[in-house]
């Protein structure tokens, strides 16, 4: 990854505000410490979401689909669903529903990166996922990262949704540490023989066509240490605690099934804890190891855990979004789509009636 210079033309100034609140000052101190201890950057790759802009939003855009999707088409499918459900549940009349359904039909048949529906402009946006790296590996959660006062270990409960209510404003004031990070990352582009030529070209062009950087909210994920480095072990989470809950579930539910310690067809309520409590599994040694590791996870803010030969860490993942004269960067020509556009919901007519495939053979 190249951190080269950015040509000054077209780059907007970064507005810095001095933190005055004690909590914010502590966050700033944490950021400075992290820059010293985990000052290198490891880039995982692009993520995609959807942003929207109304006529009175000015330069600002609102994130309406979290920037967490693994390819552009996944973000387009999410926009498809957002508009389909809006047509189903919110349209005030046939005219509104017809406009929404026309946009859905467009998304079902073409790779659309931007469209306007009922006065709202929607864009597929692209961000880069990266993490701080130090001598000990990927950066862990910082002491000032939000944590629940009373941790809830129910796997069905989440502390927050990623990018919920997020407004993208390139001129919003930022703290000194955030300003320094934005300026440092302006020239970041892919480099190295492991990238295809078209990926390298798009990356270097984006430095000039989208010269500004916005930092999206910090996220957290499970990573696993391997002989060659670190690999991702989960999706992104809005809090470190949510990532720990996912690891807890993996250790007690998924990992025992993957290892054949619990049958795949066993009910959802059957996990390592229940099996160890009942002493009903012949491979109780490995199950016990999974339970003991999960119990250690619940003792506090545990970010490193080793069990059955695998070293897990709760990693602190960051995301940057490039910004140009017309707003946030969209997908690049070299970005890979994992599947083609297709119909993902039943047919909805302008009256709001859903037509399922089984209805096509009915005489009524």
């Amino acid at each position: 990854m190249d951190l080269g210079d950015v040509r000054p033309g077209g780059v907007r100034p970064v507005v810095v505000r001095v933190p005055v609140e004690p909590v914010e000052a502590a966050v700033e101190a944490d950021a400075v410490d992290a820059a010293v201890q985990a000052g290198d950057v490891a880039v995982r790759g692009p993520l995609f979401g959807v942003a929207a802009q109304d006529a009175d939003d000015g330069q600002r855009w609102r994130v309406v689909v979290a920037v967490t999707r693994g390819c552009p088409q996944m973000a387009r499918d999410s926009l498809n669903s957002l508009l389909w459900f809006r047509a189903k549940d919110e349209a005030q009349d046939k005219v509104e529903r017809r406009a929404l359904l026309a946009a859905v039909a467009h998304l079902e048949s073409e790779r659309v990166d931007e469209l306007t529906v009922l006065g709202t402009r929607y864009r597929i946006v692209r961000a880069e996922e990266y993490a701080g790296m130090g001598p000990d590996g990927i950066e862990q959660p910082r002491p000032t990262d939000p944590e629940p006062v009373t941790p809830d270990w129910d796997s069905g409960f989440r502390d927050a949704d990623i990018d919920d209510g997020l407004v993208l404003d390139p001129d919003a004031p930022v703290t000194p540490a955030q300003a320094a990070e934005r300026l440092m990352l302006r020239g970041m582009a892919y480099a190295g023989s492991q990238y295809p030529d078209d990926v390298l070209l798009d990356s270097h062009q984006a430095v000039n066509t989208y010269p500004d950087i916005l930092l999206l909210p910090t996220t957290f994920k499970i990573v696993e240490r391997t002989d060659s480095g670190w690999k991702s072990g989960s999706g992104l989470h809005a809090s470190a605690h949510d990532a720990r809950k996912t690891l807890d579930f993996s250790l007690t539910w998924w990992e025992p099934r993957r290892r054949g310690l619990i049958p795949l067809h066993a009910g959802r309520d059957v996990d390592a804890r229940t099996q160890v409590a009942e002493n009903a599994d012949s491979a109780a040694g490995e199950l016990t190891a999974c339970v003991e590791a999960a119990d250690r996870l619940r003792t506090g803010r545990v970010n490193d855990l080793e069990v059955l030969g695998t070293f897990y860490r709760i990693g602190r993942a960051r995301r940057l979004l490039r910004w140009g004269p017309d707003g946030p960067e969209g997908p690049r020509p070299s970005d890979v789509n994992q599947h083609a556009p297709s119909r993902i919901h039943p047919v909805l007519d302008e009256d709001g009636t859903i037509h399922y495939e089984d209805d096509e053979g009915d005489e009524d």
Side-chain angles (χ1 to χ4, degrees), residues 28-40 132-133 139-140 142 316 318:
E28 282 290 285
D30 255 4
V32 172
D33 289 343
V36 174
Q37 297 169 7
D40 293 331
M133 291 287 293
E139 183 184 8
Q140 303 180 41
R142 298 174 184 173
R316 192 177 196 272
R318 289 132 75 179

Side-chain angles (χ1 to χ4, degrees), residues 10 19 27-28 48 54 73 78 91 95 104 126 158 200 213 225 228 245 248 262 279 287 334 341:
V27 172
E28 282 290 285
F48 303 87
D54 292 325
Q73 190 55 46
S78 295
V95 174
V104 168
R126 182 190 197 277
R158 290 288 176 262
L200 293 173
I213 295 291
R225 189 167 61 195
S228 58
K245 281 195 294 189
D248 176 270
I262 295 177
N279 196 26
L287 283 175
S334 58

Side-chain angles (χ1 to χ4, degrees), residues 99-177:
L100 291 163
L101 292 176
V104 168
H106 196 182
L107 287 161
E108 288 176 344
S109 59
E110 297 182 34
R111 287 179 173 153
V112 183
D113 291 334
E114 184 167 323
L115 50 76
T116 299
V117 189
L118 298 174
T120 298
R121 183 183 182 190
Y122 296 92
R123 177 179 293 179
I124 309 302
V125 297
R126 182 190 197 277
E128 205 77 62
E129 181 187 342
Y130 66 103
M133 291 287 293
D136 189 39
I138 287 181
E139 183 184 8
Q140 303 180 41
R142 298 174 184 173
T144 50
D145 286 328
E147 296 274 3
V149 176
T150 304
D152 186 331
W153 288 94
D154 180 358
S155 61
F157 174 80
R158 290 288 176 262
D159 292 339
D161 293 326
I162 295 175
D163 297 338
D164 186 29
L166 179 63
V167 175
L168 304 174
D169 184 352
D171 290 335
V174 296
T175 68

Side-chain angles (χ1 to χ4, degrees), residues 274-296:
T274 60
Q275 292 295 285
V276 169
E278 296 172 2
N279 196 26
D281 197 287
S282 58
E286 292 185 53
L287 283 175
T288 299
C290 289
V291 171
E292 290 176 347
D295 287 345
R296 289 199 301 276

Side-chain angles (χ1 to χ4, degrees), residues 21-69:
E21 295 294 332
V23 172
E24 191 173 61
V27 172
E28 282 290 285
D30 255 4
V32 172
D33 289 343
V36 174
Q37 297 169 7
D40 293 331
V41 171
V43 176
R44 181 172 183 269
L47 296 169
F48 303 87
V50 181
Q53 184 185 59
D54 292 325
D56 58 353
D57 284 336
Q59 67 181 347
R60 295 179 297 276
W61 291 72
R62 297 168 288 106
V63 174
V64 294
V65 172
V67 189
T68 58
R69 275 52 176 180

Side-chain angles (χ1 to χ4, degrees), residues 324-343:
D326 192 40
E329 182 185 13
R332 299 172 184 172
S334 58
D335 287 327
V336 177
N337 290 283
Q338 297 175 3
H339 57 281
S342 64
R343 197 178 84 184

